[in-house]
Amino acid sequence: MPNPSQITEILNAANSGDAAAQNAAYELVYDELKRCARRQSAVAPGSSLTPTALVSELYLKLHDSRVERIHNRRHFFSLASRAMRQIMVDHARLRTRAKRGGGAVHLELDTSDIGAETSAQALALDAALTQLAARDPELAQVVEWHFFGGLTFGDIAAEVGRHERTVRRDWEMARAYLRRAMSAAETS
Amino acid sequence: MSDTDRWLRIKQLFAEAQSVAAVERDAWLEQTCAGDAEVASEMRGLLDAQQSTGNLLDAAADDVLRRIGEPAQHVDASGMQIGPYRLVRLIGEGGMGSVYLAERGDVEFRQRVALKLVRPDFVNTALRERFLRERNFLARLVHPHIAQLHDGGVSADGTPYFTLEYVDGEPITKYCDARNLDVRSRVGLLVQVCAAVAYAHRNLIVHRDLKPSNILITAEGEAKLLDFGIAKFLDADAGAGATATQARMMTPEYAAPEQVLGGPITTATDVYAIGVLLYELLSGRPPYARADAGTISWPQAVVEEMPEPLARALSRTLPGRDRPTGERIAAARSSNVTALRRALRGDLDRIVRRALAKDAESRYASINDLAEDLRAFAAGRAISGGSRRYRLRMFVRRHWLPLGAAAAIVLLLIGGSAAIVWQSRQIVHEAQNTLQVKNFLLGLFTAVDPREAKGREVSARELLDRGAERIDRHKALDPEQRAEIESTLGRIYYQLGLYDQADTLQSGAIAVLSAMPSQVLKLARAQVERSDTLDARGDLKRAAELAEHASVTLRDLPEATVEDRTRAAHSRARVAIDQRDFAKAREFSEAEIALARQAATTDSALLFGALMTSGAASWGLAQPERAEVTWREAVAVAERDGRELDVAKGRGNLGMALQRESRYAEAKAVEEQSLAAYEKALGPDHAFTMGVRADLALSNYHLGHYAAARTMMEQVVAAERKRLGNDHPAIAGTEINLGLLLVDSGDAAAAERVLTEAVAIFEKRYGRDYEGVRIALGGLALAHAALGQLDKAQSEFEEVIARANKPGTGESGGFVDRYRLGDVKRLQGDLPGAIELQRAALAASRKEYGENSRYTATAHQYLALSLRDSGDDAGAAGEFRAALAAYASYLPNAEHPLAATTRYELALLLLKHDDTRAEALRLLAEAADLREKFLGADDPKTKQARLALSQARAAVKS
């Protein structure tokens, strides 16, 4: 498994626009996040994966390697947020599959109903977000960073060099758009 | 316009739209989007979406992930080979892992088993090892109702698994519903289940995860428990996350409080789970209403909320979602809602409640005990640990003890051993909850072996004290229970007249309830009861305050019943009467009656009580006619309901009213009925019996039956002395009447003795200013006058008149003393003084009582004597005739010793004139006959009359 400085290197490379490197970096981050998540689960099974916690943990780990550039940070957040999004989608898919799993009889009254519902919504959100990214990448990024990455509007504003007010406005717009897209998907 | 441009425009518009007021939005949109329909529609869509709620984005991603939960890390493994087993198909998914139907393929016959794959993220190395160690131990659990653990191991990829006997059955809940099994059958099934659990407990294994999906019933109706003890092993070494695991692994609905809180797990944990299951099997619902409705979370409910009474759970209405109705639930139990509700009360509710106790110690000590109670229920026997009152009921049902006879015994005990408290005859006896007292005392009796209780004499007091003592010893009572018991015992002490003890207990209950904001109703009720106690103790001010406070509280409390409000009004009325504020008493009792009439369908005794207080208020306001009407209705109400004691009470009061109206013959009749009833129900020595006897004596007195009256009154005084001691006010009250009677019947010496004592008793207890002292003194003065001690009589009368009370309070009207004083003056020779007093007295009497009353008759009489002595024969004759007429107005033919005297005196006057001689003779004859009739032939007065008659006849002849 790559050591932290190796990750940074890859991130740096990714930053320079190398698509392959970007993908590699993404997968790396994703794996690392999952590993963090599993570690957490093993220690305290049942605790939820909090994006902020995981992202923070990962960031700290990378930070320790003392290789940090402002670009890296931004990229890092992007990748980490996207990774979180991916994890959520993965879980949602597994959940829905499990429910539909061949002839399974649910013998108990548990909360799987809510899980399945949420899973379906999560998948819808993913799809809608992809749609939004095609129309307006900046807006989509705000959503990814804020919702999945757990960054505050202030953090985001600092990163992208805009006013907090405008970031907030973007969020409002994006949220309305996504809601609309998700409910449209529901009725169809 | 290009797509990008459109999008930018939309973004811009959206930002601007934020500062447009919602109402103006439509107009603004029309304006700005003029022409471009697409933009307009998208804008509208976005703005609408902005308003909507309940979207994933409104939460945090944390919550979303949490809600999605941890999906199983493995996929459907059907077809895979795990150890010697081949997975045929997935049977189910649980919190712990997946269950597959598997076959063991390496033997000739294909053995079907259930194979459970444990979730990998639930197990770490240490747990895995432990599991393997314990597997053998578990395999030794062999019981017909436990799914046998066969085998276990670890799959190639490190996933632990185990195999169980494959059970083809339905979860117990579904099984029962599908066959519409009735309550008894369901209980029977559960007994099977309990047997299995008990067996495991004997082998020191706690299931920890009992729930319907783990309790299957086969087609043959056999119960099979699954997954025994698994939970215990899997979470053991989880370290810091142990509690979290437990909470997550247990199905929250069935988790016991200690499981939620992370406390020690014991066999009682399984008892709790069975309790939940029982609750569901019986009522079709889970125990906690608020969690069921989604108001609070399940873990919270398990720890905090009390289980809803079974019967009520049936009618639980829940918002939205498809829930079975009460009818459907009842139908699934081969019953209807009414019958099922009835069945779910009593024993079953008690069993369930005990099993679901929050504190593990308070539940059944073992599954066997629970099973025992279930069996007892099914067999119609008494269950364990119920209240004593309950045990009595079951005893009665099975052994046919005629409850009526026992009740009579108890009542006598109350009379025989408890202290009787003096109550002014004007105070109304409350409508007591005698049945409750009876039952409770009976319960105390039969708490021990009933045979034992019969053998020795146990006083009610002793039993009560035993009961009170028990509360203190029972430290484990929760505040609510404690308050309940204190209230009950307080009530009983009150009814036995032991007001100090009652007050202590009731104050205790109130203190406890005051600290419980949810118990406002119980608190108000306790306050009403304590107000009665304070009233009885004489602390009238506090009693009034407390009753008022409770009344106001109940008025605004939606859950207060009509009965509650009636009782509060009743207390207020009674206290007001004791405070002698009769106007207020009337106000409260009118309200009380209105409420009582409303409550009449559920508790008619309340109407009786209300009418009694109302009558008392009228009595106090000097309106005996109104009191009479009200008390008559009270008697009718009690008669209608067959409450004999209340009838007797009502009649007693009615008699009093009739006496006040000078309708003595009617009063006598009514009082005789009352006396008979009391003697029969309570015995000759009971305070109530004595009270009526005293009243009847008075009626007899007024009717001139002096001997009978004297005997009765002396009986009453003796009884009062015996029970209350020599200086109790009750004695003084009776002695006043006795004294007056003695004066009238000619035994002035005896009269002086009793009246002196009466004055002394009252004065000692209440001081010289007390009204009772005044009345007694007036009587004493009369006795002294009769004894010829005129000076003494005069000074006593003058003191009495000086202290004269308000009019309208019976014989204590000041004029009575005036005309008596007048007579003293006459005897002293001060005729003008005498006449002046007596004319005034006569006028007052007429005003207060009218012409046709005893008092007016007497007033006429006294005045006549004074006029005669002053030489005004005509005037005197007129007054004598008026007196006679007045007597005749309420006594048929004016048959009374006093009227005999009137005739005698009048006759003597009339003899002086020829034209009235004939009338005089007639009058003398009547006088002599009457005196003989009332006083006997040998009485000096009779002889006096006879002599006068014979002399007068002789004079005529000559």
Side-chain angles (χ1 to χ4, degrees):
Chain A
M1 109 124 191
N3 62 43
S5 54
Q6 275 179 306
I7 295 176
T8 319
E9 254 179 53
I10 297 174
L11 282 177
N12 284 346
N15 179 46
S16 64
D18 185 341
Q22 264 202 1
N23 278 337
Y26 171 70
E27 289 204 28
L28 214 70
V29 173
Y30 183 59
D31 281 345
E32 190 58 33
L33 274 177
K34 281 227 310 205
R35 228 161 299 180
C36 290
R38 217 177 324 192
R39 220 174 346 259
Q40 279 209 343
S41 296
V43 168
S47 67
S48 46
L49 303 168
T50 66
T52 31
L54 288 170
V55 168
S56 308
E57 195 191 330
L58 181 57
Y59 183 74
L60 282 172
K61 202 199 312 183
L62 293 177
H63 187 80
D64 272 347
S65 70
R66 278 183 249 282
V67 183
E68 181 189 278
R69 282 194 285 162
I70 207 159
H71 292 296
N72 282 349
R73 222 167 105 101
R74 189 178 182 163
H75 253 100
F76 169 76
F77 283 133
S78 299
L79 292 176
S81 307
R82 199 169 311 161
M84 276 313 304
R85 176 176 163 188
Q86 198 55 47
I87 289 172
M88 183 180 289
V89 167
D90 282 351
H91 279 229
R93 286 219 184 93
L94 274 168
R95 198 61 164 156
T96 359
R97 200 190 307 148
K99 186 162 165 70
R100 270 186 271 112
V105 172
H106 281 259
L107 300 176
E108 61 201 28
L109 29 104
D110 64 20
T111 54
S112 61
D113 284 333
I114 297 178
E117 239 177 79
T118 317
S119 304
Q121 276 191 37
L123 293 173
L125 171 62
D126 182 59
L129 195 52
T130 311
Q131 224 183 313
L132 177 61
R135 273 186 105 165
D136 191 330
E138 272 185 340
L139 245 52
Q141 180 160 88
V142 170
V143 174
E144 256 192 359
W145 282 17
H146 179 66
F147 184 74
F148 290 104
L151 295 175
T152 65
F153 296 130
D155 289 342
I156 300 174
E159 275 309 308
V160 302
R162 288 156 73 207
H163 270 296
E164 188 178 331
R165 214 182 323 122
T166 32
V167 175
R168 211 181 276 273
R169 216 179 47 196
D170 280 351
W171 164 258
E172 280 296 320
M173 169 86 183
R175 194 163 61 153
Y177 179 91
L178 289 169
R179 273 187 187 152
R180 189 153 167 265
M182 283 166 76
S183 61
E186 226 178 277
T187 49
S188 66
Chain B
M1 173 187 294
S2 78
D3 216 35
T4 334
D5 287 331
R6 183 174 292 130
W7 178 250
L8 282 171
R9 180 144 165 74
I10 289 171
K11 260 174 99 167
Q12 173 115 20
L13 280 173
F14 186 85
E16 279 170 30
Q18 300 305 303
S19 33
V20 175
V23 286
E24 290 161 2
R25 231 168 242 171
D26 281 339
W28 176 83
L29 268 178
E30 273 210 35
Q31 201 188 347
T32 49
C33 303
D36 199 333
E38 255 190 73
V39 170
S41 101
E42 183 136 12
M43 275 306 295
R44 258 192 213 100
L46 285 171
L47 289 170
D48 283 341
Q50 198 181 9
Q51 301 306 313
S52 72
T53 53
N55 183 278
L56 216 60
L57 289 165
D58 297 324
D62 297 12
D63 294 312
V64 175
L65 271 170
R66 207 176 302 136
R67 265 185 275 158
I68 291 175
E70 302 285 309
Q73 297 283 328
H74 61 277
V75 292
D76 191 340
S78 298
M80 276 174 65
Q81 187 79 18
I82 298 203
Y85 299 97
R86 189 180 66 83
L87 304 183
V88 174
R89 63 178 166 88
L90 185 67
I91 302 176
E93 283 242 31
M96 272 200 304
S98 319
V99 188
Y100 292 87
L101 177 62
E103 284 178 340
R104 191 172 174 127
D106 63 347
V107 285
E108 277 173 353
F109 59 97
R110 294 194 178 251
Q111 186 189 21
R112 294 195 133 193
V113 296
L115 189 144
K116 197 142 185 175
L117 269 176
V118 177
R119 291 174 62 157
D121 57 335
F122 272 30
V123 182
N124 59 33
T125 323
L127 283 177
R128 253 203 293 262
E129 281 168 10
R130 231 194 122 193
F131 167 72
L132 289 171
R133 249 185 289 129
E134 301 293 348
R135 181 179 51 78
N136 294 329
F137 182 60
L138 281 175
R140 274 190 245 122
L141 273 185
V142 180
H143 189 278
H145 295 310
I146 297 180
Q148 180 87 45
L149 181 77
H150 288 317
D151 203 353
V154 178
S155 71
D157 69 345
T159 315
Y161 70 92
F162 53 89
T163 57
L164 299 166
E165 171 191 344
Y166 173 66
V167 176
D168 191 1
E170 284 178 86
I172 185 171
T173 41
K174 283 211 175 63
Y175 179 88
C176 291
D177 284 346
R179 285 157 189 72
N180 293 337
L181 291 189
D182 68 3
V183 165
R184 273 227 162 70
S185 311
R186 287 166 185 253
V187 168
L189 266 181
L190 211 53
V191 168
Q192 268 190 43
V193 173
C194 287
V197 177
Y199 168 82
H201 287 180
R202 277 201 294 281
N203 287 280
L204 306 177
I205 294 176
V206 180
H207 191 292
R208 295 178 174 219
D209 198 16
L210 286 170
K211 53 192 178 182
S213 58
N214 279 342
I215 304 173
L216 302 184
I217 313 290
T218 64
E220 293 84 27
E222 297 285 324
K224 289 277 186 186
L225 262 57
L226 310 178
D227 289 358
F228 242 102
I230 302 303
K232 180 184 172 201
F233 301 111
L234 285 180
D235 69 6
D237 292 11
T243 314
T245 313
Q246 279 180 8
R248 262 188 56 84
M249 285 185 62
M250 299 314 122
T251 319
E253 288 84 351
Y254 289 86
E258 59 268 23
Q259 285 177 303
V260 173
L261 294 171
I265 308 295
T266 64
T267 50
T269 311
D270 280 348
V271 170
Y272 179 93
I274 297 289
V276 178
L277 181 57
L278 177 63
Y279 194 103
E280 245 190 78
L281 285 174
L282 294 175
S283 73
R285 313 251 197 233
Y288 306 110
R290 286 198 296 159
D292 200 13
T295 315
I296 58 176
S297 71
W298 273 104
Q300 197 182 341
V302 166
V303 172
E304 293 177 359
E305 193 184 343
M306 294 309 288
E308 190 174 31
L310 268 176
R312 224 193 293 159
L314 201 57
S315 348
R316 213 182 276 171
T317 44
L318 295 155
R321 299 189 275 183
D322 168 44
R323 300 276 181 149
T325 59
E327 285 82 28
R328 280 238 324 259
I329 292 173
R333 285 145 186 80
S334 292
S335 179
N336 59 64
V337 175
T338 325
L340 184 59
R341 227 186 255 136
R342 213 178 322 131
L344 295 183
R345 277 196 262 266
D347 284 350
L348 286 174
D349 195 65
R350 262 184 283 273
I351 293 175
V352 140
R353 207 164 282 282
R354 189 158 172 206
L356 292 176
K358 302 294 179 203
D359 175 21
E361 302 273 305
S362 310
R363 298 175 206 150
Y364 287 96
S366 75
I367 279 279
N368 268 328
D369 290 346
L370 169 56
E372 206 29 65
D373 266 5
L374 289 174
R375 277 194 206 100
F377 165 78
R381 285 184 279 118
I383 65 169
S384 65
S387 72
R388 276 178 218 102
R389 206 185 304 162
Y390 167 78
R391 208 182 283 150
L392 166 70
R393 252 196 292 132
M394 284 303 286
F395 178 68
V396 166
R397 223 191 292 160
R398 284 173 60 78
H399 299 279
W400 190 75
L401 183 76
L403 208 55
I409 298 169
V410 170
L411 273 182
L412 279 178
L413 268 182
I414 297 176
S417 68
I420 310 298
V421 177
W422 174 61
Q423 290 178 332
S424 156
R425 265 175 257 128
Q426 287 176 329
I427 294 176
V428 169
H429 303 300
E430 61 165 7
Q432 293 164 348
N433 217 335
T434 334
L435 191 62
Q436 201 178 327
V437 178
K438 271 192 249 171
N439 282 341
F440 179 83
L441 289 173
L442 273 171
L444 288 176
F445 260 128
T446 57
V448 289
D449 189 330
R451 288 169 298 200
E452 189 194 317
K454 257 194 234 148
R456 57 193 179 95
E457 273 179 22
V458 184
S459 77
R461 178 65 190 277
E462 186 189 320
L463 291 174
L464 245 201
D465 290 344
R466 223 196 268 175
E469 185 205 334
R470 260 196 202 97
I471 308 178
D472 274 332
R473 274 197 276 125
H474 204 148
K475 294 292 173 203
L477 287 172
D478 73 37
E480 219 182 296
Q481 289 172 321
R482 197 195 173 91
E484 187 74 52
I485 294 175
E486 283 179 327
S487 286
T488 308
L489 285 179
R491 205 175 301 135
I492 293 165
Y493 272 114
Y494 170 81
Q495 285 164 354
L496 289 177
L498 302 167
Y499 301 121
D500 289 337
Q501 289 91 329
D503 194 22
T504 309
L505 284 161
Q506 286 167 340
S507 311
I510 287 174
V512 168
L513 291 167
S514 302
M516 301 167 74
S518 60
Q519 299 298 332
V520 185
L521 180 59
K522 281 210 175 118
L523 176 62
R525 284 177 182 160
Q527 285 171 330
V528 169
E529 290 185 331
R530 180 151 187 249
S531 151
D532 289 342
T533 304
L534 290 170
D535 180 11
R537 292 182 84 184
D539 192 347
L540 301 178
K541 186 159 180 295
R542 270 206 299 166
E545 283 166 5
L546 204 54
E548 181 184 348
H549 183 86
S551 217
V552 169
T553 307
L554 288 167
R555 191 187 56 206
D556 299 326
L557 208 59
E559 61 262 35
T561 62
V562 180
E563 288 84 355
D564 287 325
R565 298 195 181 103
T566 312
R567 287 200 184 95
H570 182 76
S571 293
R572 293 187 84 180
R574 272 193 11 175
V575 174
I577 287 172
D578 287 344
Q579 289 175 315
R580 305 187 78 77
D581 186 348
F582 299 112
K584 250 215 182 112
R586 167 163 290 163
E587 184 195 319
F588 296 140
S589 65
E590 292 302 303
E592 190 194 344
I593 288 178
L595 287 163
R597 286 201 200 278
Q598 278 181 51
T601 42
T602 43
D603 190 347
S604 58
L606 290 175
L607 179 57
F608 175 78
L611 289 166
M612 293 293 265
T613 38
S614 174
S618 296
W619 175 267
L621 290 168
Q623 295 166 353
E625 300 83 9
R626 213 167 140 173
E628 181 209 334
V629 167
T630 314
W631 282 333
R632 231 181 251 284
E633 190 188 342
V635 170
V637 165
E639 261 177 337
R640 197 174 58 211
D641 297 329
R643 287 195 311 276
E644 289 186 28
L645 269 181
D646 284 346
V647 172
K649 279 182 212 167
R651 285 206 172 112
N653 281 17
L654 178 58
M656 217 162 65
L658 289 166
Q659 275 190 25
R660 181 72 163 66
E661 295 170 76
S662 301
R663 288 152 66 178
Y664 300 110
E666 287 172 84
K668 178 174 176 230
V670 155
E671 281 155 359
E672 276 169 350
Q673 282 176 304
S674 180
L675 181 64
Y678 274 132
E679 275 180 337
K680 181 175 163 205
L682 304 176
D685 295 322
H686 196 276
F688 295 179
T689 315
M690 285 299 171
V692 166
R693 185 168 286 128
D695 286 339
L696 178 57
L698 213 54
S699 291
N700 275 321
Y701 162 58
H702 287 305
L703 288 168
H705 303 140
Y706 294 145
R710 181 174 180 166
T711 313
M712 282 190 212
M713 282 192 200
E714 283 174 345
Q715 254 181 316
V716 173
V717 172
E720 284 166 346
R721 253 191 240 283
K722 188 169 149 208
R723 217 174 354 259
L724 307 169
N726 279 326
D727 55 3
H728 198 279
I731 295 170
T734 321
E735 283 187 321
I736 289 173
N737 290 333
L738 178 56
L740 293 172
L741 160 65
L742 289 167
V743 166
D744 281 355
S745 59
D747 193 348
E752 193 207 10
R753 272 199 310 276
V754 299
L755 287 161
T756 307
E757 187 180 26
V759 172
I761 289 174
F762 274 146
E763 187 171 359
K764 184 170 168 212
R765 176 145 321 193
Y766 300 114
R768 193 87 177 170
D769 279 324
Y770 181 56
E771 191 194 331
V773 171
R774 208 175 54 76
I775 301 168
L777 202 54
L780 183 58
L782 192 63
H784 285 149
L787 285 169
Q789 298 170 22
L790 299 177
D791 290 330
K792 211 185 250 183
Q794 181 181 2
S795 74
E796 281 162 352
F797 275 129
E798 275 165 0
E799 183 186 339
V800 163
I801 288 168
R803 293 180 193 280
N805 209 346
K806 292 179 287 213
T809 44
E811 290 172 67
S812 58
F815 62 81
V816 170
D817 304 296
R818 267 177 239 273
Y819 60 60
R820 287 173 183 166
L821 176 58
D823 205 53
V824 169
K825 287 202 187 283
R826 175 181 71 91
L827 293 167
Q828 285 171 330
D830 175 8
L831 292 169
I835 292 171
E836 187 191 335
L837 273 169
Q838 284 160 349
R839 279 207 200 278
L842 175 60
S845 178
R846 270 185 171 140
K847 188 170 170 207
E848 181 140 351
Y849 288 91
E851 187 62 37
N852 301 334
S853 112
R854 156 180 188 267
Y855 299 109
T856 310
T858 318
H860 279 300
Q861 176 94 342
Y862 277 121
L863 180 57
L865 290 171
S866 299
L867 289 172
R868 181 199 60 186
D869 284 5
S870 71
D872 182 357
D873 281 1
E879 290 303 321
F880 279 130
R881 282 192 211 283
L884 213 48
Y887 280 127
S889 74
Y890 72 91
L891 294 165
N893 298 322
E895 285 193 15
H896 195 283
L898 292 174
T901 306
T902 315
R903 285 177 178 85
Y904 176 79
E905 299 288 352
L906 178 57
L908 292 179
L909 270 182
L910 295 177
L911 278 175
K912 289 183 190 165
H913 305 275
D914 287 340
D915 53 348
T916 50
R917 197 163 292 147
E919 191 192 347
L921 284 170
R922 183 177 54 79
L923 286 168
L924 274 175
E926 280 173 13
D929 286 340
L930 277 174
R931 278 181 170 173
E932 183 169 329
K933 178 178 173 185
F934 280 101
L935 308 172
D938 294 322
D939 189 280
K941 282 215 170 97
T942 314
K943 286 181 178 161
Q944 178 199 51
R946 286 256 175 255
L947 184 60
L949 179 59
S950 55
Q951 278 177 342
R953 279 196 180 131
V956 167
K957 283 191 185 119
S958 64

